[in-house]
Amino acid sequence: MIVYEYPFNERIRTLLRLEDLYEKFKFFVHQEHPMQHHVALATIFDMLEVAGRADLKSDLLQELERQKQSLLAYRSNPAVVAETLDAVLAELDAASSALVASQGKTGQNVRENEWLMSIRGRTIIPGGACEFDLPSYFAWQKRPFDKRFDDIMGWFGPLSPLLEALSLVLRLLRNSGASVKMFAAAGSYQQMLQGKIYQMLRLTLDETTGAIPEISANKYMLWVRFTSQDGDCKPKPLEADVPFDLTLCNF
């Protein structure tokens, strides 16, 4: 099964982009080859670019507190497993405390490092990080894996509370919706949302169908048009009926 996600607003779009970069970073930073560590470092630069919004940290703190207050209301509900609720509340407290403890603007330690900024400036140029452009960076890449790993994790460290907090917020958002089985007749599906506000849509389908959803949505209507790929991978309209699971998520 393949899960496609669609954000309804710019805030969730930013969180999803950062989450995607965070997943890439976690993969590449644990690889041993210098080229893979180059990707990990470049991904840190990408995360800084996406996280450039000054209010992202405060937005996450407000959302974590809102989720905490919402969950506290379930303490008296006998249908709620107390241990599970307490575990989630503990996660929220830990994420909030780590965010509050993080000092300054997100990624300021990287921005104040002239050497890293010289690498960032060259990486935006195709082939700009060659050894003749950045001999000191080339020498750093020749260091042992554990030395490079420690350096990268040190540079990433101040970003960690922000990324962990957004991962928790997105996990709670994904768990907020109930999956409903739907059916796209002749590859097309429409649903009126009647002005109800959602944060994110999750669409799950069987990958053997070969169907690819193209999604557009606002607070009034949701529209999904399924396509397929031909020999050169160019999408083309899919006229077959497509079953899928739909989840509308909102805090």
Side-chain angles (χ1 to χ4, degrees), residues 62-77 80 85 88-89 92 172 176 250-251:
Q62 290 175 13
E63 189 57 52
L64 290 170
E65 180 61 26
R66 199 169 69 84
Q67 290 301 313
K68 178 182 176 180
Q69 296 304 319
S70 177
L71 290 173
L72 283 172
Y74 288 97
R75 277 199 182 278
S76 59
N77 191 328
V80 174
L85 178 61
V88 176
L89 289 171
L92 288 167
L172 293 173
S176 68
N250 192 27
F251 290 124

Side-chain angles (χ1 to χ4, degrees), residues 58-199:
S58 60
D59 279 354
L60 286 171
L61 281 171
Q62 290 175 13
E63 189 57 52
L64 290 170
E65 180 61 26
R66 199 169 69 84
Q67 290 301 313
K68 178 182 176 180
Q69 296 304 319
S70 177
L71 290 173
L72 283 172
Y74 288 97
R75 277 199 182 278
S76 59
N77 191 328
V80 174
V81 180
E83 292 79 4
T84 303
L85 178 61
D86 288 341
V88 176
L89 289 171
E91 283 189 84
L92 288 167
D93 284 336
S96 295
S97 298
L99 262 185
V100 171
S102 62
Q103 299 295 320
K105 187 177 180 181
T106 301
Q108 191 64 28
N109 64 308
V110 175
R111 294 186 177 92
E112 291 177 350
N113 188 315
E114 292 184 10
W115 185 70
L116 289 177
M117 287 297 93
S118 68
I119 297 170
R120 182 184 185 184
R122 297 300 305 181
T123 54
I124 63 176
I125 302 171
C130 289
E131 67 273 15
F132 54 83
D133 288 311
L134 295 170
S136 63
Y137 181 50
F138 183 68
W140 176 84
Q141 289 178 304
K142 296 304 180 183
R143 290 184 178 182
F145 160 75
D146 58 335
K147 298 292 185 182
R148 285 184 275 112
F149 178 84
D150 289 344
D151 284 343
I152 294 175
M153 293 307 296
W155 298 325
F156 171 76
L159 274 170
S160 181
L162 182 79
L163 274 299
E164 292 296 332
L166 74 86
S167 295
L168 177 56
V169 166
L170 286 175
R171 173 155 61 88
L172 293 173
L173 177 59
R174 291 181 175 111
N175 291 336
S176 68
S179 178
V180 180
K181 292 190 178 299
M182 297 296 184
F183 188 79
S188 182
Y189 174 81
Q190 291 185 3
Q191 178 179 330
M192 302 304 295
L193 300 179
Q194 300 174 336
K196 186 170 182 180
I197 303 298
Y198 293 101
Q199 302 285 334

Side-chain angles (χ1 to χ4, degrees), residues 21-29 40 43-44 152 156:
L21 290 168
Y22 188 31
E23 292 300 316
K24 288 182 173 67
F25 171 79
K26 288 189 291 185
F27 173 80
F28 283 107
V29 77
T43 304
I44 291 179
I152 294 175
F156 171 76

